[in-house]
Amino acid sequence: MRAMTFLGALAALTVGASGAFAWGDAYTGDATSDLSRQPLVQAWPQGNHCPAGKQPVIVGGVIFCGIPTAGRYYDPQPLRASHAPKPAAKTYLPRAYAPAGEKGVVSQ
């Protein structure tokens, strides 16, 4: 009987203490609460339809009105002028013909 009481008390202590030991591993918030790690807010170089004091900015690929904290956004792959496709060079396939007086067909 004493062994069962001891094992029961040990199990209760283990379950109760496991939460206290894990307390240091609890979620403490995002790392972006540090002002030096704020997201990059770049100015968007298109038309301004924002209210006074704000301008178009891009954050995480989304454009909205705000105050930029970094330089202008630029597209690393600029648009290239489209050109008309060049016509394909004409290549003629060999033609088959049958010479008079000979047996078979020859390609020319």
Side-chain angles (χ1 to χ4, degrees):
M1 188 69 174
R2 286 186 177 193
M4 291 298 226
T5 305
F6 177 73
L7 289 177
L10 184 63
L13 180 64
T14 303
V15 170
S18 64
F21 290 135
W23 185 256
D25 296 335
Y27 178 73
T28 57
D30 292 334
T32 57
S33 61
D34 181 15
L35 293 178
S36 66
R37 298 190 69 190
Q38 288 295 323
L40 184 65
V41 180
Q42 293 178 311
W44 182 251
Q46 299 297 325
N48 188 356
H49 302 290
C50 296
K54 299 207 177 191
Q55 67 184 60
V57 294
I58 184 168
V59 176
V62 179
I63 301 170
F64 61 94
C65 294
I67 300 171
T69 60
R72 289 183 68 154
Y73 175 81
Y74 75 96
D75 191 2
Q77 298 175 356
L79 297 175
R80 293 189 287 176
S82 62
H83 298 287
K86 294 181 180 178
K90 291 186 178 182
T91 57
Y92 297 101
L93 295 175
R95 295 183 177 233
Y97 74 99
E102 293 186 22
K103 187 176 180 181
V105 178
V106 182
S107 296
Q108 186 181 31

